[in-house]
Amino acid sequence: MPDPTPPSMPYWHVYTDAEGVSRQAQFALTAFQFQGVGPGVAPQWNDKMDPSQAGVTFTVLPVGWVGEWHENPKPQWIAVLSGRWFVETMDGTRVEMGPGELMFGEDQNTKPRDGRKGHLSGTVGTEPCTMIVTGLDVAPTVNQPGRFR
């Protein structure tokens, strides 16, 4: 029998504040319910998101790759599978993530400031960074840090 206490899963949220500046902070998914994913399937802890259309892309960032200042193309979940990468937001916060770490990129609608718009990202270390990116066809929010809890 599992521990009756629902788990939590940390994630980084890259978001746009009310002034159009990208920021990031760590939050946790906490709405887990112990249930099966279908009839006859053993129960497990699930935190279901609202239904939406989504596209999945598997990405390999080469060693030394840098994505100059840009916004996420749409709200998207990014899970690092191997290697490491960094994300720096307009507020100056830089976070490095590795295997098993999760980020929700939602920095659409930023306003250019000091040559920055959106975020800067790139690989860290001597190996490529592999990821699974799930882009959601949903409207981005503004000034809602940690929108998933």
Side-chain angles (χ1 to χ4, degrees):
M1 189 67 190
D3 182 343
T5 306
S8 68
M9 184 181 296
Y11 73 97
W12 288 96
H13 187 187
V14 174
Y15 64 96
T16 303
D17 71 13
E19 287 76 45
V21 174
S22 64
R23 299 183 178 281
Q24 60 186 317
Q26 193 170 48
F27 298 93
L29 300 173
T30 59
F32 286 90
Q33 296 181 356
F34 194 68
Q35 60 193 33
V37 294
V41 178
Q44 60 195 32
W45 289 109
N46 299 303
D47 184 342
K48 291 186 177 184
M49 303 284 111
D50 290 335
S52 70
Q53 293 284 79
V56 175
T57 302
F58 292 92
T59 300
V60 179
L61 306 177
V63 173
W65 179 87
V66 175
E68 295 300 333
W69 289 96
H70 65 285
E71 294 179 337
N72 285 285
K74 58 174 60 177
Q76 58 189 12
W77 286 104
I78 299 172
V80 179
L81 303 174
S82 67
R84 295 190 62 76
W85 80 317
F86 74 88
V87 176
E88 182 178 332
T89 46
M90 294 168 64
D91 66 351
T93 303
R94 178 184 160 120
V95 173
E96 292 186 10
M97 290 169 259
E101 292 191 83
L102 187 61
M103 184 193 91
F104 189 69
E106 189 180 30
D107 63 352
Q108 297 79 24
N109 303 308
T110 58
K111 296 176 183 168
R113 183 177 290 179
D114 301 324
R116 299 174 171 198
K117 181 171 173 46
H119 65 278
L120 175 71
S121 54
T123 55
V124 174
T126 59
E127 67 177 288
C129 182
T130 64
M131 326 171 143
I132 182 170
V133 180
T134 305
L136 306 178
D137 289 332
V138 298
T141 64
V142 173
N143 206 31
Q144 291 188 27
R147 71 182 272 196
F148 302 106
R149 304 232 180 168

